[in-house]
Amino acid sequence: MNARVIPIKPVGTAAAPPDGGRQRLRRWAQAGFFVLFVLAPVFNLLRYDLVAGHAWLLGFEWHAGLEDFSAGRIDALGAVGRVIGRVLLPILVAGGVLIWVSWKWGRLYCGWLCPHFSVVETINAYMRRATGKPSVWEPRALPPREPDGRPVRYDKRWWFITVPLAVGFAFVWAVVLLTYLLPPFQVYGHLLAGTPTRNEFIFITAGTIVLSAEFLFARHLFCRYACAVGMFQSLAWMGNREAMVVGFERDRAADCASCYSACDHVCPMRLKPRNIKRTMFTCTQCAQCVSACETTQQDNPRGPLLQWVAGEAARHNEAAFAAPKPERKSQ
């Protein structure tokens, strides 16, 4: 007689998340890039020093080479060549890599690395706890639960954390942006001593005020309409019909009845992931909608309805939206 073997889960081991740890990996990537964003000027990895009059790149001084032109050692044509080779060409190469990645996979930089987007998501979470809505412009409150069923309690006292957090992020951003223009140790030294220069004080104060307003009221609008980096990524992505996109199995739409539109509620850009690609112009490929669908449908033997697709599958995903044109009757 064959005995049935029942697998026993070891004590203390956590169940693997339905998305395979995708969102955990993304959080680590965002945290790492945010640290890089803050420390890059400190280690001269990337910044322009207004005091020294030259840039720094990967720890080395980066000059355009115009000092030789000023000293008469090269002519105007040589100066133009140096500007093209040392300034324009590196910018074009970096921009080309970003556009190529976006053309194939969409706004991966925004969803997985961008330090501004990580702030957007953080403030979304706390504002939702304070108001039930991830943005002050949201028309209605979200359901008070997570995709895995955990309840979310809304309490206006969370405003006492949300507002200081947004102002704190704004202050950090203002200081860090200043270190991209002035020697970082000078900026941090003056702040620690409480003796910032007049220009440093004006820059940090103005930056904190503007960014606080942006983080509290317009962070999604900035990502959608004002961020040039995001806009160029979106344009490149929309130009490739086979680019990676969140695909929806529309022939199984009835399975969505068992869900509460969790994919819509978790989107930090407030998009509708089950819609057509051209309405998802600002999608950051954060895949929170995919993870939410995997969570709510984890007991469905047919699997989730949302997943990343590319190539011919991406074309088919869009073609499913194209309604057949009515045939013209012959007269």
Side-chain angles (χ1 to χ4, degrees):
M1 179 177 180
N2 295 332
R4 182 183 177 188
V5 178
I6 301 177
I8 300 176
K9 180 181 176 180
V11 177
T13 59
D19 69 350
R22 183 192 302 110
Q23 291 304 317
R24 185 185 299 122
L25 175 63
R26 191 176 70 89
R27 295 300 186 192
W28 277 109
Q30 286 180 312
F33 199 83
F34 195 95
V35 172
L36 178 63
F37 165 71
V38 173
L39 296 181
V42 175
F43 295 100
N44 292 324
L45 298 179
L46 177 65
R47 70 183 182 91
Y48 185 84
D49 195 327
L50 292 176
V51 176
H54 63 76
W56 288 86
L57 181 64
L58 300 179
F60 297 96
E61 295 184 8
W62 190 265
H63 297 267
L66 296 180
E67 60 274 7
D68 289 336
F69 175 72
S70 301
R73 290 189 291 269
I74 60 174
D75 57 13
L77 186 60
V80 171
R82 288 195 175 184
V83 171
I84 293 175
R86 299 186 182 185
V87 179
L88 297 181
L89 188 59
I91 293 176
L92 291 174
V93 170
V97 171
L98 179 67
I99 294 299
W100 179 77
V101 170
S102 306
W103 186 79
K104 287 182 66 66
W105 298 295
R107 293 174 63 166
L108 280 180
Y109 168 77
C110 293
W112 288 71
L113 297 178
C114 177
H116 180 274
F117 192 69
S118 61
V119 173
V120 169
E121 292 187 83
T122 302
I123 298 177
N124 278 3
Y126 283 94
M127 189 169 289
R128 180 189 176 190
R129 288 183 175 273
T131 66
K133 303 185 294 184
S135 168
V136 294
W137 310 115
E138 193 77 7
R140 59 182 65 88
L142 302 185
R145 62 182 183 274
E146 300 290 357
D148 59 3
R150 289 177 298 160
V152 179
R153 180 173 296 177
Y154 301 148
D155 191 329
K156 291 184 178 180
R157 287 176 293 181
W158 280 99
W159 275 116
F160 292 106
I161 296 178
T162 305
V163 174
L165 185 67
V167 175
F169 271 125
F171 175 77
V172 170
W173 266 72
V175 172
V176 171
L177 290 176
L178 185 59
T179 62
Y180 277 84
L181 302 174
L182 296 178
F185 290 103
Q186 170 188 313
V187 174
Y188 290 125
H190 289 170
L191 285 177
L192 291 175
T195 58
T197 65
R198 178 177 178 273
N199 289 337
E200 290 172 353
F201 178 79
I202 292 175
F203 184 96
I204 293 174
T205 301
T208 300
I209 293 174
V210 172
L211 288 169
S212 295
E214 193 264 333
F215 287 154
L216 285 170
F217 303 109
R219 56 192 182 278
H220 306 99
L221 300 178
F222 176 84
C223 290
R224 287 190 180 192
Y225 307 114
C227 179
V229 175
M231 185 67 67
F232 281 114
Q233 289 180 88
S234 292
L235 290 173
W237 179 57
M238 295 298 291
N240 181 12
R241 296 181 62 187
E242 296 186 355
M244 185 177 72
V245 67
V246 174
F248 175 49
E249 294 190 31
R250 294 175 183 85
D251 57 339
R252 294 177 50 205
D255 290 349
C256 291
S258 62
C259 178
Y260 64 104
S261 297
C263 57
D264 294 347
H265 301 319
V266 299
C267 178
M269 293 295 286
R270 314 313 304 139
L271 304 176
K272 304 295 183 184
R274 289 170 290 180
N275 214 330
I276 194 169
K277 179 180 178 180
R278 59 175 171 266
T279 67
M280 298 285 290
F281 181 78
T282 56
C283 174
T284 62
Q285 301 291 12
C286 69
Q288 289 195 58
C289 57
V290 177
S291 296
C293 188
E294 290 170 340
T295 300
T296 58
Q297 300 292 328
Q298 58 184 319
D299 295 328
N300 188 333
R302 302 179 67 185
L305 290 84
L306 293 180
Q307 59 183 327
W308 270 334
V309 295
E312 188 59 35
R315 284 180 174 270
H316 177 73
N317 183 75
E318 296 304 297
F321 264 113
K325 296 181 179 179
E327 297 181 0
R328 293 184 178 179
K329 296 181 179 181
S330 58
Q331 297 180 355

